[in-house]
Amino acid sequence: MVDATTTGNDVLSEASGRFVDGYLAYLLAQASSRISREFHREVEASGLSVTEWRVLASLSGSDGESIGTLAQLALTKQPTLSKVVQRMEADGLVERTGARRDRRQTLVRLTRKGRGLADSLCAHALRHQQAVLEPFGHDNAALLIGMLKDLIALHPPAAPLADGG
Amino acid sequence: MVDATTTGNDVLSEASGRFVDGYLAYLLAQASSRISREFHREVEASGLSVTEWRVLASLSGSDGESIGTLAQLALTKQPTLSKVVQRMEADGLVERTGARRDRRQTLVRLTRKGRGLADSLCAHALRHQQAVLEPFGHDNAALLIGMLKDLIALHPPAAPLADGG
DNA sequence: TCTTTTTCCATGAATTTTCATGTTTTCCAT
DNA sequence: ATGGAAAACATGAAAATTCATGGAAAAAGA
């Protein structure tokens, strides 16, 4: 098992080699990219783009999100997301309903078909996650996830959305 | 200070709320995006795109990298990187030299101008990183970085490059 | 109430990225 | 050696993303 407490000497004051090899933002981006790449094959095998999968995942366990919220969750700009959602609506994966509370908003919800696909992919994703975290052991895995959540909580999104995003 | 050892109860068996809120790949992507966004304003103030900054950062502390390696480091596809490097060459930030060892490769190196800009931005980046990690304390920060490096080491890049990426 | 300002989303234009493919060089097995 | 397969990169066409902008609804102020 990987023992995070004994990884290298002082990983912070990185004195040698490429700059990026000790740079947090790079490590996060690289880890994100590599961890996701494997699963994204499954996603594309389902006929979805990565962005479309992110939308499905973001809507899983929710009974509707606005375009703006989805853009933040899916890490894209709002115009991008408007167009992705339109494609997904044409494919019968989501439906767009004018929200009751605020008629400016477009509320996006999973259709039955979309929920089926989302559930299937999410289950797959969780199995993949388990495999990824297995070498770390339960405690270190929880530590990692906790710290990522802390990082996220400490850095609010660009346009402060109602709550804390 | 954030105490990662007491963050929530069991962050793994996430039973409530949106699927993504407990999903490692999402947390990595979201954290990466949010941490970087702040600094990317500095980058764009320097007249660089994010991808161009990634190339500069990847070349910092190196005396030349191939197009393929840079594509991996900068998290883009090879054709994208070829074009970005051409723009950067036109701007006088990098130079492309035929590598000695393998004449198929294009070796990319920082020019004096490029190195100046890269050094300046990297210094800025490290100050930013220090601020980001400060709430975690030295030990937890080292733990986080160590685990990210482990994650990366455990998941090799798509097309196995000579070494270990 | 009636502006004035802000928020939320859609859309066309421009940019960026990616896909598909071709060329050149290297590697490997005869 | 040599012919075939694989690797590295460039490039044109296609697709995706982003920028700039506009309209409609809500919020804020006078």
Side-chain angles (χ1 to χ4, degrees):
Chain A
M1 176 192 302
V2 175
D3 180 356
T5 66
T6 63
T7 303
N9 291 329
D10 189 341
V11 292
L12 292 183
S13 52
E14 203 71 31
S16 66
R18 282 181 306 217
F19 164 78
V20 291
D21 290 335
Y23 182 47
L24 175 68
Y26 166 79
L27 296 174
L28 282 170
Q30 193 71 237
S32 168
S33 167
R34 292 201 189 178
I35 296 304
S36 301
R37 183 169 37 70
E38 305 161 0
F39 181 67
H40 286 171
R41 287 191 201 128
E42 298 288 335
V43 168
E44 279 159 20
S46 304
L48 293 177
S49 74
V50 170
T51 305
E52 288 166 339
W53 149 242
R54 290 205 181 117
V55 170
L56 282 191
S58 299
L59 288 173
S60 282
S62 158
D63 60 338
E65 300 284 354
S66 71
I67 295 282
T69 300
L70 283 177
Q72 281 189 356
L73 293 172
L75 302 174
T76 71
K77 306 297 184 187
Q78 172 264 310
T80 303
L81 204 95
S82 287
K83 290 165 188 176
V84 170
V85 163
Q86 284 166 25
R87 276 203 298 271
M88 296 178 71
E89 186 178 35
D91 292 343
L93 296 174
V94 302
E95 58 187 2
R96 297 191 298 169
T97 83
R100 286 167 303 204
R101 295 175 57 86
D102 184 337
R103 286 189 321 203
R104 289 170 304 181
Q105 289 190 339
T106 300
L107 203 62
V108 183
R109 239 185 304 202
L110 289 176
T111 61
R112 179 179 304 270
K113 175 181 174 185
R115 186 173 308 279
L117 183 51
D119 286 351
S120 160
L121 283 172
C122 286
H124 224 296
L126 283 182
R127 286 198 295 278
H128 176 245
Q129 164 160 351
Q130 221 169 358
V132 168
L133 287 178
E134 192 273 331
F136 288 83
H138 181 280
D139 288 354
N140 277 332
L143 209 54
L144 174 61
I145 289 191
M147 287 198 279
L148 291 174
K149 286 188 177 180
D150 288 343
L151 264 183
I152 291 171
L154 287 171
H155 297 269
L161 218 49
D163 202 333
Chain B
M1 178 193 301
V2 175
D3 180 356
T5 65
T6 62
T7 303
N9 291 329
D10 188 341
V11 292
L12 292 184
S13 53
E14 202 73 28
S16 66
R18 282 181 306 218
F19 164 77
V20 290
D21 290 335
Y23 182 48
L24 174 67
Y26 166 79
L27 296 174
L28 282 169
Q30 193 70 239
S32 168
S33 166
R34 293 199 188 179
I35 296 303
S36 301
R37 183 169 36 72
E38 306 160 0
F39 182 66
H40 286 171
R41 287 190 202 129
E42 300 286 338
V43 169
E44 278 158 21
S46 303
L48 294 176
S49 74
V50 170
T51 306
E52 287 165 339
W53 150 242
R54 290 204 180 117
V55 171
L56 282 190
S58 298
L59 288 172
S60 283
S62 157
D63 60 337
E65 300 285 353
S66 71
I67 294 281
T69 300
L70 283 178
Q72 280 189 358
L73 292 172
L75 302 174
T76 71
K77 306 295 183 187
Q78 172 265 310
T80 303
L81 204 94
S82 287
K83 290 165 189 177
V84 170
V85 164
Q86 285 166 22
R87 275 203 298 273
M88 294 177 72
E89 187 178 34
D91 292 343
L93 295 174
V94 302
E95 58 186 3
R96 297 190 299 167
T97 85
R100 286 166 303 204
R101 296 175 56 85
D102 185 338
R103 285 190 322 206
R104 291 170 301 179
Q105 289 190 340
T106 299
L107 203 62
V108 183
R109 238 186 305 203
L110 288 177
T111 61
R112 179 180 303 271
K113 175 181 174 185
R115 187 173 307 279
L117 184 51
D119 286 351
S120 159
L121 283 172
C122 287
H124 225 296
L126 284 181
R127 285 198 296 279
H128 177 244
Q129 164 161 351
Q130 220 169 358
V132 168
L133 287 178
E134 192 272 332
F136 288 83
H138 181 280
D139 288 354
N140 277 332
L143 207 55
L144 174 60
I145 290 190
M147 287 197 278
L148 290 175
K149 286 188 178 180
D150 288 343
L151 263 184
I152 292 171
L154 288 170
H155 297 270
L161 219 49
D163 201 335

